[in-house]
Amino acid sequence: MVMDVDVEDGNLGPYQDRPRTFPNMRGKSYNPLIFRILMRINVRVLFVILLLALGVVFYVGASTSPIIVFVFSICIISFLVSLYLARWVLAKDEGPPEMGQISDAIRDGAEGFFRTQYGTISKMAFLLAAVIFCIYLFRSTTPEQEASGIGRFTSAYITVAAFLLGALCSGAAGYVGMWVSVRANVRVSSAARRSAREALQIAVRAGGFSAMVVVGMAVIGIAILYATFYVWLEVDSPGSMKVTDLPLLLVGYGFGASFVALFAQLGGGIYTKAADVGADLVGKVEQGIPEDDPRNPAVIADLVGDNVGDCAARGADLFESIAAEIISAMILGGTMAKRCKIEDPSGFILFPLVVHSFDLVISSAGIFSIRGTRDSGGKASSEDPMTILQRGYSVTIILAVLTFGASTRWLLYTEQAPSAWFNFALCGLVGIITAYIFVWITKYYTDYKHEPVRMLALSSSTGHGTNIIAGVSLGLESTALPVLVISVSIISAFWLGQTSGLMDENGIPTGGLFGTAVATMGMLSTAAYVLTMDMFGPIADNAGGIVEMSQQPESVREITDVLDAVGNTTKATTKGFAIGSAALASFLLFSAYMDEIATFAREPFKQVDIAIPEVFVGGLLGSMLIYLFSAWACSAVGRTAQEVVKEVRRQFIERPGIMDYTEKPDYSRCVAIVASASLKEMIKPGALAIVSPIVIGIAFRIFGYYTGQPLLGAKVVASMLMFATVSGILMALFLNTAGGAWDNAKKYIETGVLGGKGSDSHKAAITGDTVGDPFKDTAGPSLHVLIKMLATITLVMAPVFL
């Protein structure tokens, strides 16, 4: 960790009476290597290099399609908007010195862990890239690749380059998420001394900066890769690859993004929840001190964890979601255009990029619709912050409907089926409505303004056991409505696409799968604003911690408590949104896998018969994988939390003066424990996710070879994907909702009901919250990344199973 020597030794100087002044805990600032290189270059030279790079990008884009130029333009504008948001946030004051010094310690811990974690992930990524390269040198090629002269070496080089680019961009997305959160938290704390609405606006705009960069990077990264391959391979020239086959070359990008997102989510989730559980169990339950109290030795580790787990990991997570959805939709669009022999298929292929370009525009409008006003008296704003955020989301939803309809008319109109674009616009509307309903359902089950969480809080009054029983039952019940919504949306979108009028040369309707792809795009068409709400949560949580540690007046803590409770709800709702989009995206990826197997096998591959024993076993293995992965993720948090609990207890025993401020806690010891443990513990579940589909596919391919079943490996992997997706969606819904409900039941009691803070009900609610911590912030978020990574890795490795 990059921590000052004084912090490592616990030598922070004497505590003082309120207001407490903390010594400087700042170590050396850390910037990634690329930033350090850029800062050494002359500004004019850097400006010229940037202009040349933009010129090359737009030249390649213009050589590909005017649609690509449009996408590039929107992404560049969105980056400029994000820079404005960053400047606006950073222009705000950091408050009194003690706030800034606490924030510096959090920033150093987060940046130090990020550097170590992503250094480990990058080594694993290069190792996996070498494995992929070797596999591709010996795998078969598609007839289209053979006809266009793309050999095995070129195919291997393209896939590995795409994989590494996807991994790099996913890592950068994670860094952006963390970079803004560790700088915005103290500014939100300072603003809370003046106005609840101003604090809300700063947190939203800080989250908006991260969201705009993450979504913009996902879109422009795929667009640049597509345009580069288009120009380099001379696509659509005589004797070269057809544009409808080009999206298959992008699957490595999605796999790279999924790979980094999974390990970022695992490592960050283990870090943040182990520290949180350890801090709560000893500090709040055993010692009876408030949350984020400076006397708690685990408090800095807890606040650092909010940034590396909820911000950095979530940025990489959403980047991966968008990348996987775009690539799978491009593959299905190209396949459908080829079957229907559409004269200009570029609109169907590039449609996902345009939808997410408009996402940047409409989400910007939603972010800027939230304005700050000065509240009188410094009290919490009379208007519920959740209502304000929902109003911005409503603005974004309305604009999404309008821009989605315009996009379908522009790009999906074809003379072969003049009304098809309208059917696809309705598919997009189905996706948008699905997203809105998902957000509402999750809010209902996790917000303490509604009955489920209040009943969960009431169960705490009769003890710890009844709180756990009520929380588990709430989580199980919460899976029903989302599954019904997903089912209706998939079937509705499929049949809207199937009846669009698009048919293949045999007169068979072929628009069904693309209809589900369009619905998925509709669901993710407000992704930037949803990520903004998600980033708002940990920033508000950190702000509350800084306020508590710097001993600000109770009125300031009231404001940050309200924002923190709303942040818990927004985090839960965006996780529900992510699970819903993961379900639809996984269906698309599964369909793309079936198409790819058919292409390589040179025979139809449309159905998987689970009545075949080996195929059924593949399904069982897929379901088992979900439960084993979840168990390993939760047990990793448990083992690490035990070490934190022992360390915090040790410090309270050996340094009794901590409680009366005459001795100082050793914050860095807890930081070191959770940092080293999370890096070690993330390897086993991550390796399980990567190795399992490859081993299962190859093993059953060999078995099929000796039993006369040539496609058995591919069929077993398809069954594994189906069962893993179904089990993973249900498990993730249960874990995320139960964890979020337990957390807000605790927050509800802390508002003063059922005895308030320190009561027996509160202690029981804390137990529920600690049980739910690894559910909602480690295993749950990792699961929806896992199911998409399983699909992307099978796409990349598909020929190995034949």
Side-chain angles (χ1 to χ4, degrees):
M1 290 299 97
V2 186
M3 300 282 286
D4 192 82
V5 175
D6 288 338
V7 181
E8 294 180 0
D9 297 336
N11 188 21
L12 301 178
Y15 280 92
Q16 301 175 11
D17 293 333
R18 297 184 184 188
R20 180 171 302 113
T21 302
F22 279 70
N24 189 358
M25 295 189 285
R26 189 76 201 270
K28 296 179 181 179
S29 61
Y30 165 70
N31 285 313
L33 177 62
I34 184 65
F35 288 0
R36 297 200 298 271
I37 294 174
L38 291 176
M39 286 188 291
R40 293 175 184 173
I41 301 175
N42 182 274
V43 175
R44 293 181 180 179
V45 174
L46 191 61
F47 182 72
V48 171
I49 293 174
L50 182 61
L51 285 180
L52 289 174
L54 286 175
V56 171
V57 166
F58 276 95
Y59 172 77
V60 173
S63 303
T64 305
S65 169
I67 301 171
I68 292 290
V69 175
F70 172 81
V71 170
F72 285 163
S73 301
I74 295 295
C75 289
I76 296 299
I77 293 172
S78 73
F79 290 147
L80 295 176
V81 172
S82 66
L83 287 176
Y84 167 77
L85 290 174
R87 287 175 61 87
W88 186 90
V89 170
L90 295 177
K92 299 295 180 178
D93 69 283
E94 296 187 2
E98 59 267 25
M99 280 189 175
Q101 289 157 9
I102 297 166
S103 174
D104 287 345
I106 296 169
R107 186 186 312 175
D108 285 338
E111 290 179 342
F113 176 74
F114 183 92
R115 177 174 56 180
T116 306
Q117 181 191 31
Y118 276 75
T120 303
I121 294 174
S122 63
K123 293 174 185 176
M124 294 189 293
F126 279 111
L127 177 62
L128 184 57
V131 173
I132 293 172
F133 187 83
C134 293
I135 290 175
Y136 266 61
L137 287 179
F138 297 99
R139 60 165 248 180
S140 59
T141 55
T142 66
E144 291 79 8
Q145 290 174 345
E146 292 175 0
S148 58
I150 297 179
R152 293 179 178 178
F153 181 82
T154 304
S155 178
Y157 175 78
I158 287 173
T159 304
V160 168
F163 171 80
L164 292 176
L165 180 62
L168 176 65
C169 291
S170 184
Y175 180 76
V176 166
M178 183 209 64
W179 185 91
V180 66
S181 66
V182 297
R183 288 162 175 79
N185 51 17
V186 68
R187 291 167 170 83
V188 175
S189 301
S190 178
R193 298 178 305 145
R194 300 184 294 272
S195 161
R197 189 66 176 266
E198 183 185 355
L200 171 70
Q201 186 186 27
I202 293 173
V204 168
R205 291 198 170 187
F209 161 76
S210 176
M212 298 288 285
V213 173
V214 168
V215 177
M217 281 180 55
V219 174
I220 202 170
I222 295 175
I224 289 175
L225 202 61
Y226 177 91
T228 302
F229 289 163
Y230 187 97
V231 173
W232 176 39
L233 300 175
E234 299 179 347
V235 173
D236 274 346
S237 300
S240 63
M241 174 180 280
K242 299 298 181 185
V243 70
T244 51
D245 300 316
L246 182 56
L248 278 173
L249 299 179
L250 305 177
V251 293
Y253 186 90
F255 181 33
S258 299
F259 175 83
V260 171
L262 180 67
F263 281 100
Q265 191 69 69
L266 276 171
I270 293 168
Y271 187 114
T272 182
K273 290 303 106 180
D276 195 3
V277 169
D280 283 355
L281 286 179
V282 183
K284 294 166 74 173
V285 177
E286 296 181 5
Q287 299 295 329
I289 58 178
E291 185 171 3
D292 300 325
D293 191 287
R295 292 170 291 180
N296 194 324
V299 66
I300 291 292
D302 185 10
L303 295 174
V304 169
D306 290 335
N307 295 285
V308 299
D310 288 335
C311 292
R314 199 74 73 247
D317 179 0
L318 191 70
F319 178 92
E320 177 268 340
S321 296
I322 294 172
E325 176 263 326
I326 289 175
I327 292 169
S328 57
M330 292 174 77
I331 292 172
L332 293 176
T335 302
M336 187 191 70
K338 181 166 63 174
R339 288 177 181 171
C340 297
K341 299 192 180 299
I342 294 175
E343 186 176 347
D344 182 12
S346 60
F348 288 86
I349 296 172
L350 299 177
F351 180 67
L353 294 174
V354 173
V355 168
H356 286 291
S357 297
F358 278 123
D359 173 17
L360 294 167
V361 176
I362 62 178
S363 295
S364 298
I367 292 167
F368 283 109
S369 70
I370 298 174
R371 299 182 177 276
T373 56
R374 190 61 74 88
D375 305 320
S376 60
K379 298 291 183 183
S381 173
S382 58
E383 188 171 13
D384 181 11
M386 192 68 200
T387 303
I388 299 170
L389 293 174
Q390 287 279 40
R391 188 185 306 136
Y393 186 50
S394 298
V395 170
T396 308
I397 286 282
I398 293 170
L399 293 176
V401 172
L402 298 176
T403 56
F404 207 96
S407 300
T408 52
R409 180 61 180 84
W410 173 28
L411 298 173
L412 303 185
Y413 177 82
T414 174
E415 294 292 343
Q416 293 175 232
S419 63
W421 71 271
F422 184 71
N423 281 50
F424 290 129
L426 292 178
C427 292
L429 183 61
V430 167
I432 293 171
I433 293 173
T434 300
Y436 192 85
I437 294 175
F438 249 86
V439 169
W440 183 88
I441 291 172
T442 314
K443 179 175 177 290
Y444 173 74
Y445 278 107
T446 57
D447 192 338
Y448 64 59
K449 296 181 181 64
H450 301 290
E451 184 180 6
V453 174
R454 295 194 174 202
M455 293 302 294
L456 177 57
L458 183 62
S459 71
S460 303
S461 63
T462 53
H464 301 251
T466 51
N467 173 277
I468 300 300
I469 294 170
V472 170
S473 62
L474 183 151
L476 293 171
E477 178 189 319
S478 69
T479 63
L481 286 178
V483 168
L484 292 175
V485 172
I486 291 173
S487 303
V488 171
S489 64
I490 289 177
I491 294 173
S492 301
F494 181 87
W495 284 105
L496 281 170
Q498 196 78 343
T499 57
S500 64
L502 288 171
M503 301 183 181
D504 63 14
E505 55 189 7
N506 298 319
I508 300 174
T510 59
L513 287 177
F514 189 68
T516 60
V518 174
T520 308
M521 287 180 260
M523 190 168 186
L524 285 168
S525 62
T526 57
Y529 189 85
V530 170
L531 180 59
T532 298
M533 291 199 297
D534 190 54
M535 291 291 184
F536 165 85
I539 292 173
D541 192 357
N542 254 214
I546 292 172
V547 166
E548 180 68 36
M549 287 194 71
S550 59
Q551 300 293 302
Q552 298 301 309
E554 188 64 27
S555 61
V556 181
R557 182 67 200 194
E558 287 176 5
I559 290 174
T560 55
D561 279 347
V562 171
L563 295 179
D564 187 17
V566 171
N568 283 335
T569 303
T570 59
K571 286 192 291 183
T573 55
T574 50
K575 286 170 189 170
F577 171 88
I579 295 168
S581 63
L584 293 178
S586 297
F587 180 72
L588 298 186
L589 290 165
F590 177 76
S591 302
Y593 167 77
M594 301 281 279
D595 283 345
E596 188 174 10
I597 289 294
T599 301
F600 279 100
R602 309 187 188 191
E603 62 178 272
F605 189 71
K606 297 181 179 180
Q607 296 178 341
V608 178
D609 186 0
I610 62 171
I612 299 172
E614 295 88 350
V615 176
F616 182 73
V617 168
L620 285 178
L621 292 174
S623 296
M624 176 272 292
L625 173 63
I626 296 300
Y627 285 85
L628 184 60
F629 177 89
S630 302
W632 285 358
C634 289
S635 64
V637 174
R639 283 191 298 270
T640 309
Q642 289 175 35
E643 296 301 315
V644 176
V645 167
K646 292 176 183 177
E647 174 60 25
V648 175
R649 284 174 176 168
R650 182 191 67 79
Q651 291 198 35
F652 277 125
I653 292 171
E654 296 181 2
R655 302 184 183 190
I658 287 176
M659 291 300 293
D660 58 11
Y661 302 110
T662 58
E663 290 187 86
K664 283 72 56 187
D666 182 359
Y667 299 117
S668 68
R669 179 60 188 154
C670 291
V671 171
I673 288 172
V674 292
S676 60
S678 60
L679 292 174
K680 179 179 68 176
E681 297 282 2
M682 74 179 184
I683 302 297
K684 188 167 74 169
L688 174 72
I690 295 169
V691 172
S692 295
I694 300 175
V695 170
I696 290 171
I698 293 176
F700 279 96
R701 174 192 174 180
I702 296 171
F703 185 79
Y705 175 80
Y706 286 106
T707 57
Q709 302 176 76
L711 293 180
L712 183 62
K715 291 177 181 177
V716 170
V717 170
S719 176
M720 184 207 72
L721 278 178
M722 285 192 293
F723 280 70
T725 299
V726 171
S727 300
I729 293 300
L730 291 171
M731 178 66 83
L733 284 169
F734 162 70
L735 294 174
N736 282 329
T737 309
W742 267 316
D743 195 349
N744 268 351
K746 179 196 69 174
K747 294 289 184 187
Y748 180 55
I749 292 174
E750 288 174 350
T751 62
V753 301
L754 300 174
K757 294 181 180 180
S759 64
D760 289 339
S761 296
H762 186 228
K763 291 180 180 179
I766 292 171
T767 299
D769 182 31
T770 55
V771 172
D773 276 339
F775 284 17
K776 67 184 174 69
D777 286 321
T778 307
S782 298
L783 273 178
H784 65 77
V785 179
L786 169 67
I787 59 177
K788 286 176 289 183
M789 197 191 80
L790 289 175
T792 54
I793 194 172
T794 51
L795 268 176
V796 172
M797 299 295 181
V800 178
F801 309 142
L802 296 174

